[in-house]
C-alpha cells in the first residue's frame, strides 16, 4: 500500500469510528429540529436565535416581552398608530418547530409577527410555550391554554397588561399558528369549544399555516410513496414530543379521530397549505372532517402552488400575499 493509500485508510477508519461513537451516543435524531443524546444532551439546529423586542423600523410595530406565569412568557405586539379609543382585533399566535424548537423571540417570528400585526392592524400575543423533550407534551398544550386564559382574563378586568386592556377588542379574538403551532392553535380552539365556563370573549376564527396533523394511515389522495417516506420522521416527532400519547391516531395529532370535533370553538377557519408540501392533504382532510361533523362554521383551504411546508412565515412574494390574505381574514374579510 502506498503512503497516501494508508493515510486515506486511516482517515476513513477514524471517521468511521467517530460516526459509530456519535450513533451510539445518540438517542434519536430529528434534524434540524433536535438531536437528543443518551447522556441527556439536547441540540437544536434551528429556531434558537434571539432578537430583542423593538420598534420595527420597517412597519413601526412595537413589541415587548412579558411574563405570563412562572412557566409561560410571550412577546406582544402593537401596530403603529394604535389608538385607545378604537379597539382592534386580538391575535394569539403559536410558533412552529415540531414541538421541539422555535420561540417568539427569533428573527423569523419577529419579522412574521411585525408584518402580520401591521398588515392586519391587530394586537398580537406570540406565546412562548415550553418545548419537548425537556417538557414533553401535553405541557406545550397546557402552557398555550394558560396563555389564552391569561389573555382573556383582561376582558373581565382581572389582569393589567395595558397593551391588551387598552387596545384589544375582546369581541374579536383569533388564534393562529404555523406547523406545530397550527396543531396547538387547533387544540386550544377545541378546548375553547368544550370549556363550559364563561370566557368573556368571542373567538371569531383561527388560521392554520401548514398545520402539523398526521395519522397512522394514508388518507384520500395522499401519495402513498411520499407517505411512506415521511412516515418515519412524522412518527419520530410525535412519539418523542409526546411519549405518553396513544399514538399517531391520537386526536391531538389526527383531529379526524376526535369525536368532539364538531365542538371546535370558533366559526371561521382558514388553512394555508404549500402545494408541494406532503402534509397538505392533512389540511384538506381536516376541512372534510369539520364539514362531516356538522360543526357550525366556515372553513377554507388555500393551496398555494409551488410552495413547500411552512412557506407562509418566510419572505417569498407568495408568503407576503398570504400575510395579506390573513390580514383580510382577521378583519372579517371572507374566509
Ligand atoms: C409550571 O409547570 C409545572 C409542571 O411543568 C407545574 O407543576 C406548575 O404548577 C406550573 N406553575 C404554574 C405557576 O403554572
Ligand atoms: C390591576 O390594577 C389595579 C389598579 O392598579 C389593581 O387594583 C388590581 O389589583 C390589579 N389587578 C391585577 C390582577 O393585577
Ligand atoms: C408519488 O410520489 C413519487 C415520489 O415523489 C412520484 O414518483 C410519483 O409519481 C407520485 N405518484 C403520484 C400518483 O402522484
Ligand atoms: C407518562 O405517564 C405516566 C403515568 O401518568 C407518568 O408517570 C409519566 O411521568 C409520564 N411520562 C411523560 C414523559 O410525561
Ligand atoms: C370529548 O368531550 C368530552 C366532554 O368534554 C370529554 O370528556 C372527552 O374526553 C372528549 N373526548 C376526546 C377524545 O377528547
Amino acid at each position: 500500500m502506498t503512503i497516501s493509500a494508508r493515510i486515506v485508510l486511516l482517515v476513513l477508519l477514524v471517521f468511521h469510528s467517530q460516526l459509530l461513537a456519535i450513533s451510539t451516543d445518540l438517542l434519536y435524531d430529528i434534524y434540524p429540529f433536535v438531536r437528543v443524546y443518551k447522556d441527556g444532551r439536547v441540540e437544536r439546529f434551528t429556531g434558537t436565535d434571539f432578537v430583542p423586542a423593538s420598534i420595527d423600523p420597517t412597519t413601526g410595530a412595537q413589541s415587548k416581552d412579558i411574563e405570563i406565569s412562572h412557566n409561560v412568557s410571550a412577546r406582544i405586539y402593537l401596530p403603529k398608530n394604535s389608538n385607545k379609543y378604537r379597539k382592534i382585533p386580538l391575535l394569539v399566535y403559536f410558533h412552529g418547530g415540531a414541538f421541539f424548537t422555535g420561540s417568539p423571540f427569533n428573527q423569523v417570528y419577529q419579522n412574521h409577527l411585525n408584518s402580520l400585526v401591521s398588515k392586519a392592524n391587530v394586537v398580537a400575543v406570540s406565546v412562548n410555550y415550553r418545548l419537548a423533550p425537556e417538557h414533553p407534551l401535553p405541557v406545550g398544550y397546557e402552557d398555550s391554554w394558560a396563555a389564552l386564559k391569561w389573555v382573556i382574563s383582561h376582558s373581565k378586568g382581572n389582569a393589567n397588561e395595558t397593551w391588551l386592556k387598552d387596545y384589544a377588542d375582546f369581541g374579536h379574538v383569533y388564534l393562529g399558528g404555523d406547523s406545530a403551532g397550527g396543531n396547538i392553535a387547533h387544540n386550544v380552539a377545541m378546548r375553547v369549544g368544550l370549556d363550559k365556563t364563561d370566557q368573556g370573549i368571542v373567538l371569531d376564527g383561527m388560521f392554520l399555516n401548514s398545520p402539523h396533523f398526521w395519522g397512522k394511515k394514508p388518507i384520500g389522495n395522499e401519495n402513498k410513496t411520499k407517505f411512506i417516506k415521511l412516515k418515519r420522521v412524522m412518527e419520530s416527532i410525535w412519539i418523542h414530543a409526546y411519549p405518553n400519547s396513544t399514538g399517531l391516531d391520537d386526536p391531538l395529532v389526527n383531529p379526524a379521530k376526535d369525536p368532539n370535533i364538531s365542538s371546535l370553538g370558533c366559526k371561521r377557519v382558514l388553512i394555508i397549505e404549500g402545494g408541494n408540501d406532503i402534509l397538505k392533504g392533512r389540511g384538506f382532510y381536516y376541512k372534510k372532517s369539520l364539514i362531516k361533523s356538522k360543526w357550525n362554521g366556515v372553513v377554507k383551504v388555500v393551496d398555494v402552488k409551488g410552495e413547500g411546508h411552512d412557506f407562509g412565515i418566510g419572505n417569498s412574494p407568495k408568503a407576503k400575499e398570504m400575510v395579506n390574505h390573513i390580514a383580510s381574514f382577521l378583519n372579517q374579510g371572507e374566509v
Side-chain angles (χ1 to χ4, degrees):
M1 228 189 298
T2 65
I3 300 273
S4 62
R6 277 183 214 195
I7 289 171
V8 167
L9 188 65
L10 187 67
V11 167
L12 280 176
L13 278 174
V14 169
F15 185 60
H16 187 240
S17 63
Q18 274 181 349
L19 273 181
L20 275 183
I22 288 168
S23 64
T24 50
D25 287 347
L26 202 57
L27 199 56
Y28 57 89
D29 185 356
I30 313 175
Y31 186 85
F33 302 113
V34 77
R35 247 176 218 157
V36 179
Y37 295 88
K38 285 182 182 155
D39 64 6
R41 253 179 327 129
V42 175
E43 276 184 291
R44 296 178 168 88
F45 301 88
T46 180
T48 57
D49 58 305
F50 179 92
V51 294
S54 63
I55 297 180
D56 180 46
T58 315
T59 60
Q62 291 183 70
S63 51
K64 67 179 178 184
D65 294 343
I66 51 156
E67 294 273 312
I68 290 178
S69 72
H70 172 67
N71 291 327
V72 193
S73 61
R75 178 163 289 184
I76 60 177
Y77 295 82
L78 203 57
K80 195 178 172 180
N81 300 328
S82 295
N83 176 342
K84 287 187 189 185
Y85 303 102
R86 201 172 148 264
K87 301 215 170 178
I88 52 181
L90 170 63
L91 168 65
V92 180
Y93 192 82
F94 305 99
H95 70 81
F99 308 105
F100 287 104
T101 189
S103 87
F105 314 121
N106 68 50
Q107 188 76 64
V108 168
Y109 288 102
Q110 177 73 351
N111 293 349
H112 188 53
L113 270 290
N114 274 328
S115 149
L116 268 176
V117 300
S118 306
K119 287 271 163 54
N121 200 38
V122 297
V123 184
V125 178
S126 180
V127 178
N128 188 35
Y129 56 87
R130 287 172 293 171
L131 300 170
E134 295 89 339
H135 302 284
L137 292 172
V139 169
Y141 294 128
E142 295 304 327
D143 286 355
S144 300
W145 176 243
L148 180 68
K149 285 212 302 200
W150 174 82
V151 166
I152 64 190
S153 70
H154 289 81
S155 71
K156 295 177 176 167
N158 294 332
N160 276 338
E161 172 46 56
T162 49
W163 285 12
L164 298 179
K165 228 172 53 174
D166 293 347
Y167 300 100
D169 174 359
F170 289 96
H172 292 296
V173 179
Y174 287 85
L175 303 180
D178 62 286
S179 198
N183 172 300
I184 291 175
H186 157 75
N187 284 303
V188 169
M190 283 304 303
R191 271 179 90 156
V192 170
L194 292 169
D195 186 52
K196 295 298 173 226
T197 59
D198 172 25
Q199 295 153 337
I201 59 152
V202 177
L203 187 61
D204 268 353
M206 163 171 91
F207 68 89
L208 310 178
N209 218 327
S210 303
H212 182 114
F213 295 137
W214 195 244
K216 264 190 193 142
K217 295 192 183 124
I219 43 158
N221 57 2
E222 207 162 48
N223 181 318
K224 292 208 172 47
T225 316
K226 287 187 177 171
F227 179 87
I228 288 161
K229 232 167 112 183
L230 201 60
K231 190 171 145 65
R232 199 192 57 81
V233 65
M234 290 303 284
E235 287 187 1
S236 187
I237 288 173
W238 183 249
I239 287 161
H240 292 117
Y242 196 173
N244 270 354
S245 155
T246 56
L248 271 298
D249 278 343
D250 188 326
L252 292 163
V253 73
N254 189 357
K257 300 284 180 191
D258 192 339
N260 292 330
I261 192 168
S262 67
S263 301
L264 186 74
C266 63
K267 302 243 180 292
R268 302 169 68 229
V269 177
L270 172 65
I271 301 158
I272 295 156
E273 296 287 359
N276 295 341
D277 185 359
I278 312 175
L279 287 187
K280 88 171 181 187
R282 298 285 157 178
F284 285 97
Y285 191 45
Y286 179 69
K287 172 183 168 179
K288 209 169 130 187
S289 313
L290 279 174
I291 291 170
K292 205 173 112 195
S293 78
K294 307 263 188 303
W295 162 74
N296 178 21
V298 185
V299 54
K300 178 174 175 179
V301 184
V302 181
D303 182 353
V304 183
K305 282 207 174 56
E307 298 290 325
H309 184 71
D310 220 357
F311 76 95
I313 60 168
N315 272 327
S316 70
K318 285 194 176 161
K320 287 179 183 151
E321 239 175 74
M322 275 308 109
V323 168
N324 289 333
H325 195 116
I326 294 167
S328 145
F329 175 72
L330 299 181
N331 285 283
Q332 304 290 315
E334 71 168 307
V335 176

